[in-house]
Amino acid sequence: KVIEVAIVQKNCRFVMVDNLMTALDPDLDNDLYRQQSKFVGELAKMAKKYNVFILLVAHPRKQYGNISNDDISGSSNITDRADIVLSYSKPTKDKNEEKVIDFDRSLNVMKNRLTGKLTQEEGIKLVFEPGSKRIAEHTKDFFSRTYNWTNDPYGFEPSDGDVPF
C-alpha cells in the first residue's frame, strides 16, 4: 500500500525495496514462501499497471562462486515472477589460475524477459571504490574526483557544488 501511494500520489517512477525480508511482516500464521511469492507478484502487477520500475533486492543463500537464479534465499517464485534478474558479486578466481583480474565486482543479467539478452560469463566488469562507495564500469582512474563523504562518511554534501548522485 505504501508503494502504491508513493507511485500514485507522489508520481514516483522508480521504487527500490531493500530488501525482501525487511518488507515482509514476520506473520507466523502465513508460510514465509507464500508471503514472498505474493509480495513479489503484487510488485510485478504494480510495475506493469503504473509503468514504473521496481527494483527488489533479494539476497542469495550464503555461498561462494557464481550465483544462479535458484540461489536466491526464499521462494523460487521470486525470480520466476521477475522480468529482469541481476546479480552483483565479487568475481571468484581459481587458486591455480594465473589470470589477472582488472575488475573487482561484476553485474550479471541472469534473466531478461524484455529483450532476452543475458551477459557473458564474467558479466559487466565493474570497479568498486571503497572511499566514495562508488561503482563504475571504468578503471580505478575514473574515481579521481573527491567528494566530501570520501573523507567524512557523515558529510553528504558534495564538493565543488556537484550533485553526488
Side-chain angles (χ1 to χ4, degrees), residues 41-148:
E42 292 298 319
L43 290 179
K45 285 181 206 171
M46 205 179 314
K48 287 173 180 61
K49 179 179 179 180
Y50 297 110
N51 194 28
V52 297
F53 186 91
I54 299 178
L55 175 67
L56 172 65
V57 176
H59 295 282
R61 291 179 201 91
K62 298 290 182 198
Q63 72 169 55
Y64 297 97
N66 295 335
I67 297 170
S68 74
N69 289 348
D70 295 331
D71 294 322
I72 299 300
S73 181
S75 170
S76 62
N77 283 343
I78 295 168
T79 56
D80 290 347
R81 292 181 175 228
D83 288 332
I84 298 173
V85 176
L86 304 173
S87 73
Y88 173 75
S89 60
K90 293 181 183 181
T92 57
K93 185 170 99 169
D94 186 4
K95 291 177 185 175
N96 299 326
E97 210 174 308
E98 295 292 325
K99 184 174 154 185
V100 174
I101 297 178
D102 60 345
F103 62 101
D104 53 14
R105 301 290 191 275
S106 66
L107 181 69
N108 287 286
V109 180
M110 307 185 56
K111 176 181 177 180
N112 187 344
R113 278 198 184 126
L114 304 179
T115 66
K117 292 183 180 179
L118 305 177
T119 53
Q120 299 299 320
E121 186 175 319
E122 286 185 337
I124 300 167
K125 298 174 183 178
L126 301 171
V127 177
F128 175 71
E129 203 279 308
S132 64
K133 310 289 191 250
R134 292 182 286 174
I135 303 165
E137 189 184 3
H138 300 280
T139 63
K140 290 185 185 289
D141 296 336
F142 177 76
F143 301 110
S144 60
R145 175 167 229 97
T146 302
Y147 293 93
N148 282 352

